[in-house]
Amino acid sequence: DDKIIKKMYETNKTLEDITNQYINTYKADMKALNILDNTIEPKATENLEIMKDMISNLISKDIAYKTSDSVYFDTSKDNSYGSLSHKASD
């Protein structure tokens, strides 16, 4: 997010202009790799309320915690955290 905000100030373009540029580049890369289009493409900027609700829910369940500048997922609460990378702690 910070990179996009910085790019907005540097280029004097809108959030939509910047994000669409990245989306179009991504789609062109996927097409060049012969990868099928996604069936669903949610945009973070169009789902902020849903994300805020999800974060609040994680905090209320003591699965995430706030710091002075952010909210973090508490990995110690997930027994299978790291399993995809085969680095799960025992």
Side-chain angles (χ1 to χ4, degrees):
D1 297 338
D2 292 340
K3 290 179 184 177
I4 291 173
I5 293 168
K6 181 180 176 186
K7 183 69 84 172
M8 287 170 56
Y9 286 117
E10 291 173 352
T11 62
N12 204 29
K13 292 184 178 180
T14 67
L15 173 68
E16 188 174 61
D17 290 338
I18 301 296
T19 55
N20 281 339
Q21 177 184 340
Y22 286 115
I23 290 167
N24 292 336
T25 299
Y26 167 81
K27 286 182 177 185
D29 290 347
M30 294 300 103
K31 186 174 183 175
L33 293 169
N34 202 28
I35 296 174
L36 297 175
D37 290 339
N38 296 318
T39 53
I40 300 173
E41 295 182 334
K43 293 181 179 178
T45 54
E46 295 173 0
N47 292 282
L48 295 176
E49 287 303 315
I50 293 169
M51 290 189 295
K52 287 173 20 180
D53 290 344
M54 290 174 70
I55 292 167
S56 294
N57 189 28
L58 291 171
I59 292 169
S60 71
K61 291 181 177 182
D62 197 33
I63 298 171
Y65 59 94
K66 293 181 188 179
T67 65
S68 62
D69 65 343
S70 197
V71 175
Y72 294 93
F73 178 69
D74 186 350
T75 58
S76 71
K77 305 287 174 83
D78 183 355
N79 293 335
S80 60
Y81 182 80
S83 62
L84 291 175
S85 64
H86 303 289
K87 296 182 180 185
S89 59
D90 295 318

